[in-house]
Amino acid sequence: MPTLQQQAAIDATGNVLVVAGAGTGKTTTLVERCLHLIRDQRCPVDALMLVTFTEAAAAEMRLRLREALEKAFRDERIANGESEVARFFEEQLDLLDGAQISTLHSFCLDLVASNFHLHDLDPQVRVLDERQTGPMMREVLDELFRKRYESGADEFAELIRLYGGSSDDRLRELVLKIHRYRHARPDPDAWLEREIGRFAADEPEDWADWLLEGAHTWAAEWLPVMEAEPEFNRNAATLCGCLQAVSKTANRARLAEAINALLEWDWDNEEAWKKIKSKCDGRLDKFFVQARFLRSQLPGSDDDDDALRDDWQRIRGPMGILLDLAREFAAEYTRAKRDLGGLDFADLEQFALRLLSDETNGVAVACRDRFQHVFVDEYQDINAAQDAIIAAVSRVADGGNRFLVGDMKQSIYRFRLAEPGIFLDYATRWEQSGADGETLPLSGNFRSREAILNFVNALFEPLMRESIGGVRYDENARLEFGAPRQRAGLSVTADSAETRRIELWCLVKGDADDAQEGSDEDGRAADELADLETAGKEARLIASRLREMWESCRNTGNARCISEPGIPLTPSLSMKPDAPSPHPSP
């Protein structure tokens, strides 16, 4: 039986974004919503588009939907025999194998392969994996850098000196990073040309805007701190006035005047002022350090005294060369892939997006006509290009037809260029306006004991801040103990004081892990090895603790036992310098 939150998500219409915490039954909710659309609205199963993050998740979704349809078919036949509804369910089971339930890359491959002629591609297009594209990228970079070295250009040599010292490894890595990032954009060519044009400008206009925006944010963060200063700090009111002036500045010249007025109150040699600073636990020292940094980036009385402009003039030439290298690499790499008759995963997205963006070919219209409802799981790990694809195949009329599920707190793929800010933007806009969509929470957790959830909430509520990670750990983000009546045996009231205890164990990294020598590539390999070693140590620690708990339960004959008083909390593991540091929490 769905919870009230789940039922609200199942019944919602138009665009819906579901913020689904860990263990809150999001897959069940997705399946139940699909079944609701099929059963109650007679939506054919092949008119649904379900996008998952992995092939395994897609297979699970298809299996669970099949099981739900089979049950609905059996129940209908038992109740009403060979009714029209039973025949409809039977048809949906026949259509299920052809339904669009897949990863986004699989959808893009089908779309590109079926419209190969529109991009002059081989109809038997091959998808190249990283084992094939990795060596290809290195070969293209080798040739590209060889030509630059042979040209003897001073600008190229200076670029290597700036970013790599005596090696060009760092520069190669930057070229690849730019290449990957631009292909996560909806229009990678336009993005690259825009960036090249930005660094061709004589003045740092964007930098100046960002500095001004940063100063306004800085003033807004410090203003309530100054307002809360104790009475003995009589200068705090004056500093509040200065901060208000900073927050209202419209250009860098005015900002410099406002910061100068503020710094006049930084009296390092006044004994009384020193005492006030010391009473404020160093807060004012930090405040003035930040103010002086801001001032260092602003123009002085002399027209030539402008650190921001000087930095811009030093960097824009090398950046232009770096972006030009990225553009040339993209062209050569594309040519190499075409020679093999293949595409990589980024190509699949970009070719699909081009098809969908061209309204003259009818591809997007056909998708919107076919898919009455679009479901996407793990939306917190989407990138801008993928978001544009989902938007292109979705309808706008009648409030839209997207059903997006995700959780900012579970975003772990930024290293793959996921942009959780996209999910956050939808959640904020749809929650505040309600015009373009609706934001609904799923917070009832069915996976964990209530004691664990209470601990997790107590731990993360003071840690998570919207200004830091984009997550506000409010009542909608907190994990609630789901189905309390059905799971009463797992509640804190049913547990003994001993079984309610939560243990927090920490592995403290040693000094040996803090520094890695050698090239960047060697450093990355060492980091990956260190991560594997750390994961192994964590696994051994957990396994050892679980074994102790299990042996204690077996010896006492108490199957519900979690831990017993007197059990040593330090497993005998050789983990130095990463010795485990136990911190049992009450």
Side-chain angles (χ1 to χ4, degrees), residues 18-161:
V18 178
V19 182
T24 57
K26 65 171 184 176
T27 303
T28 299
T29 304
L30 279 167
V31 172
E32 287 298 321
R33 180 175 171 86
C34 290
L35 193 62
H36 163 69
L37 294 171
I38 295 169
R39 179 186 59 225
D40 300 334
Q41 298 186 16
R42 291 294 186 270
C43 175
V45 70
D46 59 351
L48 302 176
M49 176 180 179
L50 283 83
V51 175
T52 62
F53 198 72
T54 64
E55 295 289 355
E60 180 188 3
M61 186 69 69
R62 191 182 297 273
L63 175 62
R64 293 182 64 167
L65 187 54
R66 179 179 296 280
E67 291 173 345
L69 283 171
E70 286 175 344
K71 182 179 184 305
F73 174 56
R74 287 195 304 270
D75 291 347
E76 176 63 24
R77 278 212 306 184
I78 292 172
N80 300 308
E82 296 295 332
S83 66
E84 183 272 333
V85 175
R87 288 194 296 273
F88 177 76
F89 281 137
E90 190 174 23
E91 290 173 3
Q92 303 318 303
L93 285 166
D94 292 338
L95 292 172
L96 184 59
D97 287 337
Q100 186 62 61
I101 306 174
S102 68
T103 64
L104 188 62
H105 286 143
S106 294
F107 168 73
C108 290
L109 176 59
D110 291 342
L111 197 68
V112 171
S114 59
N115 295 279
F116 68 92
H117 55 287
L118 297 177
H119 280 310
D120 193 25
L121 294 173
D122 189 321
Q124 301 297 323
V125 61
R126 297 170 52 202
V127 179
L128 306 175
D129 60 28
E130 292 182 356
R131 291 173 298 177
Q132 297 166 295
T133 58
M136 191 185 305
M137 285 181 170
R138 288 193 291 271
E139 290 176 7
V140 171
L141 276 175
D142 287 342
E143 182 64 18
L144 178 61
F145 275 56
R146 183 187 64 80
K147 291 180 180 178
R148 293 285 178 142
Y149 280 124
E150 290 179 352
S151 70
D154 293 337
E155 295 86 354
F156 182 68
E158 178 65 13
L159 187 62
I160 293 176
R161 187 191 67 78

